[in-house]
Amino acid sequence: MSDIIHLLPDHVANQIAAGEVVQRPASVVKELLENAIDAKATHIKLLVKDAGKILIQVIDNGFGMSQTDARLAFERHATSKINTAEDLFNLHTKGFRGEALASIAAIAHVELKTKTTSQELGTQINVEGSKVLSQEIISHPIGTSIAVKNLFYNIPARRNFLKSSSIETLHIIDEFQRASLAHPNIDFSFYHNESNVYQLDAGNLRQRIVSVFGKKTNEKLVPINEETELVSISGFIAKPEFAKKKRGEQFFFANNRFIKSNYLNHAISSAFEGLLGSGYHPTYFLYLTVPPNQIDINIHPTKTEVKFENEQSIYAIIKSTIKHSLGQYQVSPILDFEHNNTFDLPYNYKDKMVGLPKIEIDANFNPFNDNFSRNQPTKNWETLYDTADVFENKKENPAITENLFETNPNSSNQVSLQIRNTYILGSIKSGLVMINQNLAHQRILYEEFLTKITLEESTSQALIFPLNINLNHQEIEFIKTMISDFESIGFKFEFKHNDQLVIVGIPVTVKESQIQPILESLLDDLQNQTESSNFSQVDCIAKSLAKNLAVKNGTSLSAKEQESILNNLFSCKEPNISPQGKATFITLSIDDIEKKFKSF
Ligand code: ADP
Ligand code: MG
């Protein structure tokens, strides 16, 4: 028999290696972010199109690459980070295997642009399926930009295997969060389909956690700090009452590298023992620092599983440190010594704590119900727009309403006029205001939902007969990934056999008969949300519910209802735009009106 063994050509070997390193778009994101961090960048920008299926680009201001290095970077086992096998035991960088770029270039179209401090001009290299197509000299700022296009273009099986864009996006967000939490001292931004999903300014760890997970997180955090010879532990855990049903917010870092460890996770869960209800998981952001020679990162191509030299001792130290902090926290509340205004997201309702939300939504109100006809507005509206509350509003917020409206001691005499059952015309000091009733009501409801979520006042009504909802597998997966957000607004779900969703509780503002359409439209909005400019899932939920529950244009409104919309709109934080950014009203000044009456 003749010889049958031969060496695989490089591009095939690279494709095989790619199978280990690059499972999905998020893997590319991880590798590119790590390279930027290793290059000591202080600003890192991630641009993604269509969940990374079309484009993943990372732009950094790190130290860049020389012309030769740029070319070598795509070779397998090409790395600047280690020289000898011993170096593996003294790693201070994320990378070291030298296979990420080679793997990525084997299965995508890659465009690299880079320049170092010492060079006048930079380098651009284009590689497709391991083949270098071009290399040019370009002008470029210091740093590196790597754009990865058409991932898996030459491995259709791989490409078809990718999950829905929403799921792939969630994975990308995971990687982005991990990198940004590991390096709060670096500015990170993330754009998906040109909309800015995250804009994280460099700061301390608490600030970073809060800017990633929202202002509300700040008060949940209990600091952890322990220095031992073996390991130092820092970071935060969330107070037990903020534990989650989903495992989402559990972050372990070892020497600033995100790691997965069921073993150490168990140390934390056991420290929380007795403090959490069954099925609840603690939220934590823990940072372990160990001497580099005490940790082996080399056991997995994606470098997230690691081995510690003294794993059992570390387990014990983590457990006792957390127990200690929990005990401390129970006797003395944590002082918020690091308050920073940048935490104040647009909806800072802290100062509104005394007053409850102004509008009480009537549970019987159902815009989907045809009985709620154009011509006979029902009593519901009177409770929906409780005028007593409106007056209270005015008292609390004189700056908003009194400046705008003519001072009128008896507000119910205030005249408004509805035009085409769509526009409400009111008189203001400077002239006239014309409101679009649907857009204005969306703004009112949207802020009301956000208030409720922020104050954690969303109430859920239990359904006597739990509702089975028909959703596809993907949608159910999707809901599972953001269950706590749904809960924050009053939904309660149960999952059966992995593919059946049972609704056991719904927000009080929603009627049972509305659930299916509202949920469907909510899912739609959530899955497309990264295309618009929402800054969080909760924000998107509030927008979607507001859109579905707001009074439609074409609905006849009584004088009281009109007035209520006028007043409540101008008590909003941002009365002039709808949640989607459309104008809610226009004004016509006396000057403008007078001009119209001038002779020609
Ligand atoms: P590794 O990170 O394991 O060394 P990679 O394939 O990810 O392997 O990268 C290969 C080499 O390319 C790196 O060692 C580094 O020298 C260089 N490199 C990659 N990305 C960047 C970047 N953003 N800035 C500077 N150098 C980079
Ligand atoms: Mg790397």
Side-chain angles (χ1 to χ4, degrees):
M1 194 171 121
S2 60
D3 300 340
I4 52 172
I5 298 180
H6 57 94
L7 285 173
L8 289 174
D10 266 358
H11 71 275
V12 179
N14 284 340
Q15 267 196 24
I16 293 168
E20 287 194 309
V21 181
V22 187
Q23 278 118 26
R24 51 176 12 130
S27 328
V28 175
V29 169
K30 172 180 190 287
E31 296 296 338
L32 297 186
L33 290 178
E34 286 187 355
N35 281 345
I37 294 165
D38 282 345
K40 306 229 176 313
T42 55
H43 295 269
I44 299 178
K45 190 168 169 182
L46 168 65
L47 305 169
V48 169
K49 284 209 175 117
D50 194 14
K53 294 170 189 173
I54 292 180
L55 171 77
I56 299 159
Q57 182 173 18
V58 170
I59 304 169
D60 69 53
N61 67 345
F63 50 58
M65 281 176 262
S66 72
Q67 219 171 321
T68 325
D69 282 353
R71 184 70 172 249
L72 265 175
F74 291 103
E75 296 295 324
R76 205 142 58 96
H77 308 307
T79 179
S80 55
K81 299 170 193 174
I82 59 169
N83 287 311
T84 64
E86 279 82 65
D87 291 348
L88 274 177
F89 304 100
N90 192 25
L91 275 177
H92 293 279
T93 52
K94 310 262 169 193
F96 56 86
R97 299 173 69 109
E99 57 189 1
L101 285 185
S103 300
I104 294 166
I107 52 170
H109 299 176
V110 179
E111 178 195 272
L112 163 74
K113 294 181 189 174
T114 187
K115 187 177 96 73
T116 64
T117 6
S118 55
Q119 289 173 302
E120 283 274 305
L121 289 166
T123 310
Q124 171 167 351
I125 296 183
N126 287 63
V127 187
E128 273 185 34
S130 297
K131 253 207 228 98
V132 177
L133 296 188
S134 64
Q135 174 158 0
E136 285 163 47
I137 290 169
I138 55 162
S139 75
H140 195 260
I142 295 168
T144 304
S145 151
I146 301 187
V148 176
K149 298 175 189 167
N150 309 319
L151 187 66
F152 298 131
Y153 79 101
N154 51 358
I155 316 180
R158 239 1 210 295
R159 203 173 162 86
N160 297 336
F161 196 66
L162 290 177
K163 296 263 169 56
S164 74
S165 290
S166 63
I167 303 294
E168 294 302 340
T169 306
L170 291 177
H171 285 289
I172 290 175
I173 290 173
D174 275 349
E175 292 300 346
F176 179 82
Q177 287 184 346
R178 291 166 184 174
S180 65
L181 288 170
H183 298 276
N185 55 333
I186 299 178
D187 284 340
F188 281 92
S189 56
F190 173 21
Y191 291 79
H192 190 212
N193 297 334
E194 266 127 44
S195 91
N196 187 198
V197 186
Y198 288 100
Q199 183 68 48
L200 310 173
D201 295 336
N204 61 30
L205 177 60
R206 184 187 275 267
Q207 288 166 334
R208 177 54 51 93
I209 293 173
V210 169
S211 45
V212 173
F213 293 102
K215 182 181 184 301
K216 244 179 31 179
T217 321
N218 194 26
E219 69 212 52
K220 302 181 186 174
L221 300 176
V222 178
I224 299 285
N225 261 308
E226 180 68 283
E227 300 267 342
T228 69
E229 268 180 30
L230 220 52
V231 57
S232 63
I233 305 173
S234 62
F236 296 92
I237 52 172
K239 296 171 189 172
E241 62 262 37
F242 298 110
K244 302 221 160 182
K245 276 263 184 189
K246 69 167 186 184
R247 264 177 197 275
E249 289 164 21
Q250 302 190 326
F251 293 89
F252 243 126
F253 300 90
N255 295 354
N256 285 335
R257 181 191 296 280
F258 173 83
I259 59 162
K260 288 181 186 154
S261 168
N262 287 337
Y263 181 67
L264 297 183
N265 176 56
H266 190 266
I268 299 173
S269 312
S270 65
F272 273 86
E273 217 165 75
L275 296 171
L276 303 180
S278 80
Y280 280 84
H281 303 286
T283 291
Y284 57 81
F285 308 89
L286 278 196
Y287 296 71
L288 312 182
T289 313
V290 294
N293 61 359
Q294 306 277 303
I295 179 172
D296 185 358
I297 303 155
N298 209 0
I299 58 174
H300 199 265
T302 57
K303 299 166 287 181
T304 47
E305 275 159 45
V306 301
K307 244 179 104 56
F308 292 94
E309 183 103 353
N310 299 295
E311 207 163 42
Q312 283 171 2
S313 315
I314 292 178
Y315 181 103
I317 296 170
I318 291 179
K319 183 169 169 179
S320 77
T321 304
I322 291 182
K323 275 200 152 178
H324 180 71
S325 288
L326 282 169
Q328 237 184 2
Y329 142 72
Q330 271 159 353
V331 285
S332 60
I334 301 303
L335 293 175
D336 181 12
F337 50 92
E338 286 176 309
H339 182 79
N340 178 315
N341 290 341
T342 57
F343 294 165
D344 299 337
L345 295 175
Y347 294 91
N348 173 14
Y349 285 98
K350 233 184 183 164
D351 41 13
K352 277 195 171 185
M353 285 297 238
V354 273
L356 288 173
K358 301 301 178 298
I359 315 164
E360 274 315 313
I361 297 281
D362 187 318
N364 296 321
F365 163 61
N366 180 355
F368 292 92
N369 183 345
D370 287 340
N371 294 337
F372 179 78
S373 82
R374 289 155 186 234
N375 305 319
Q376 36 154 278
T378 61
K379 282 212 295 275
N380 296 339
W381 284 100
E382 304 197 5
T383 38
L384 181 58
Y385 299 119
D386 190 332
T387 39
D389 277 350
V390 169
F391 294 139
E392 230 177 88
N393 255 350
K394 279 197 155 179
K395 255 184 270 151
E396 277 181 24
N397 252 330
I400 299 172
T401 37
E402 281 177 20
N403 279 347
L404 194 61
F405 286 98
E406 283 176 316
T407 340
N408 184 342
N410 187 354
S411 155
S412 54
N413 284 345
Q414 199 173 306
V415 203
S416 64
L417 182 71
Q418 197 187 15
I419 302 165
R420 287 204 170 202
N421 289 343
T422 294
Y423 302 106
I424 303 168
L425 196 62
S427 143
I428 53 173
K429 262 187 195 170
S430 62
L432 285 175
V433 62
M434 191 190 267
I435 287 180
N436 178 306
Q437 65 189 41
N438 171 262
L439 297 176
H441 196 204
Q442 281 195 44
R443 163 55 60 181
I444 296 164
L445 291 175
Y446 168 65
E447 291 204 6
E448 194 214 355
F449 278 121
L450 283 181
T451 310
K452 284 194 167 169
I453 297 167
T454 314
L455 298 181
E456 294 180 325
E457 279 181 357
S458 298
T459 26
S460 179
Q461 44 178 333
L463 295 176
I464 303 169
F465 301 108
L467 217 61
N468 276 299
I469 293 277
N470 294 325
L471 294 173
N472 66 35
H473 191 68
Q474 232 165 44
E475 287 167 326
I476 289 187
E477 274 316 302
F478 193 80
I479 290 182
K480 278 186 187 165
T481 59
M482 43 182 302
I483 198 85
S484 63
D485 291 333
F486 277 100
E487 281 173 357
S488 75
I489 206 136
F491 282 102
K492 291 220 164 72
F493 299 132
E494 273 171 19
F495 298 95
K496 276 192 190 160
H497 321 299
N498 225 10
D499 60 0
Q500 223 183 334
L501 175 76
V502 184
I503 301 186
V504 292
I506 56 176
V508 282
T509 37
V510 179
K511 281 196 82 178
E512 216 180 305
S513 55
Q514 299 170 271
I515 283 298
Q516 179 97 29
I518 283 195
L519 204 59
E520 272 167 17
S521 123
L522 191 53
L523 282 172
D524 241 29
D525 290 341
L526 281 167
Q527 295 182 352
N528 296 320
Q529 68 158 330
T530 28
E531 265 133 52
S532 67
S533 57
N534 299 312
F535 64 89
S536 74
Q537 311 270 39
V538 161
D539 187 58
C540 180
I541 294 177
K543 278 180 184 159
S544 177
L545 290 180
K547 187 178 70 189
N548 279 297
L549 294 170
V551 57
K552 301 282 176 288
N553 286 337
T555 311
S556 162
L557 303 177
S558 75
K560 251 188 185 171
E561 292 152 7
Q562 294 170 30
E563 196 182 323
S564 179
I565 289 199
L566 275 165
N567 286 328
N568 282 316
L569 176 66
F570 291 108
S571 302
C572 283
K573 275 202 140 193
E574 288 186 79
N576 49 332
I577 49 166
S578 78
Q580 270 78 27
K582 292 184 188 155
T584 49
F585 66 86
I586 51 169
T587 54
L588 199 59
S589 71
I590 298 289
D591 274 1
D592 288 341
I593 296 169
E594 276 171 357
K595 264 185 219 145
K596 303 252 178 219
F597 286 103
K598 291 235 170 86
S599 52
F600 292 99

